[in-house]
Amino acid sequence: TVTYDHEVYVVGKGWIPAGDVRVGDPFELVRPKVPWFRTIREIPVEVKDLNERAYKGYPKLNLPDQWSDGLGEFLGYLFGDGWVTFRPQGGSVGITSSAIDAEDARKVFANMQLWSNGRGSERHRTDHATTPNGNVYQQDQYTFNIGNDGMCEWLRRLGFGKEAAAKDRRLPTSIWNAPEDAIRGFLRGIYATDGSVFRPKGRRGVKVRLYSVSPGFLKDVQLLLLQFGIASHLGSPASTRLGGVYDL
């Protein structure tokens, strides 16, 4: 969706205003020769007041005020398989991981503990759970949790409060303005939690997919990938066996 005077590249016509495009005109996807990202490293929210706040005898927080690869990866994990819970008696922030990926998640959790000044706990869940269609299975999942309302508020300021319904979530504004290493970290985190890499049987090459119930979020990720020159295709539930889950 663009304005009428926004130029697009049409094969055989070159750059023309979108208002002059005709049905059947083939577009050419223009990719950047060199990725360009913002270079400002300060995150766009205040953290000083949260770091200086007293927390009922517990150590003060050490929340970062600069973007980094590690911060981006944590936000990717949080957006994909994490939670931010606001409660009057104290908020909670956490991420989850399958057992096979637990070591990668622990590296992310190490940063979370650094920023929270040593807070946090790890739990291995092996209890039984029931899927929406009634199937019962034994979990083999790790959860990494930090209880602190200041950390919850920090994430809310960054746009990662997760208040919106899952199907309506979009890429937070803060990520659009992050430098390259933080965006790379975010993509790694989101694909680690909600993505897959596999080789289709009988075919050459591999497929890389990202899954979400929010098609809007996947469209946002498309733009992040395109900034690196990577084109992707958005599928729909009608073309998959995943019910209401879209794939990129």
Side-chain angles (χ1 to χ4, degrees), residues 84-139:
V84 180
T85 304
F86 297 87
R87 287 192 293 258
Q89 66 272 27
S92 173
V93 177
I95 61 174
T96 63
S97 168
S98 63
I100 195 172
D101 295 323
E103 283 305 311
D104 288 334
R106 285 192 184 98
K107 296 175 183 177
V108 177
F109 184 52
N111 277 329
M112 294 170 63
Q113 290 191 298
L114 175 66
W115 302 327
S116 66
N117 226 332
R119 294 173 175 82
S121 62
E122 174 183 329
R123 179 188 176 195
H124 184 200
R125 299 189 60 179
T126 58
D127 51 314
H128 288 80
T130 304
T131 64
N133 59 7
N135 293 327
V136 178
Y137 67 98
Q138 183 177 8
Q139 299 188 87

Side-chain angles (χ1 to χ4, degrees), residues 44-188:
V45 300
E46 179 62 49
V47 299
K48 184 178 180 181
D49 62 319
L50 300 176
N51 284 337
E52 293 180 348
R53 181 189 298 179
Y55 293 95
K56 299 179 181 178
Y58 290 93
K60 292 183 178 180
L61 297 178
N62 187 35
L63 300 173
D65 59 5
Q66 302 279 315
W67 285 110
S68 66
D69 176 270
L71 175 55
E73 186 173 18
F74 160 61
L75 294 176
Y77 264 80
L78 183 72
F79 196 102
D81 276 342
W83 70 86
V84 180
T85 304
F86 297 87
R87 287 192 293 258
Q89 66 272 27
S92 173
V93 177
I95 61 174
T96 63
S97 168
S98 63
I100 195 172
D101 295 323
E103 283 305 311
D104 288 334
R106 285 192 184 98
K107 296 175 183 177
V108 177
F109 184 52
N111 277 329
M112 294 170 63
Q113 290 191 298
L114 175 66
W115 302 327
S116 66
N117 226 332
R119 294 173 175 82
S121 62
E122 174 183 329
R123 179 188 176 195
H124 184 200
R125 299 189 60 179
T126 58
D127 51 314
H128 288 80
T130 304
T131 64
N133 59 7
N135 293 327
V136 178
Y137 67 98
Q138 183 177 8
Q139 299 188 87
D140 190 10
Q141 181 188 68
Y142 283 83
T143 61
F144 304 87
N145 178 69
I146 290 176
N148 183 263
D149 58 348
M151 199 167 192
C152 290
E153 172 60 19
W154 172 59
L155 292 168
R156 187 195 64 78
R157 293 178 185 181
L158 280 170
F160 284 83
K162 305 194 78 169
E163 293 99 337
K167 65 181 180 62
D168 299 324
R169 287 177 189 153
R170 300 297 299 266
L171 188 71
T173 303
S174 58
I175 290 294
W176 289 119
N177 296 312
E180 181 178 354
D181 60 339
I183 292 178
R184 285 181 183 272
F186 178 79
L187 289 171
R188 187 168 62 252

Side-chain angles (χ1 to χ4, degrees), residues 2-25:
V2 297
T3 55
Y4 281 95
D5 60 347
H6 186 94
E7 292 190 337
V8 295
Y9 195 89
V10 176
V11 177
K13 296 183 179 181
W15 291 99
I16 64 172
D20 294 339
V21 173
R22 297 293 175 261
V23 175
D25 280 346

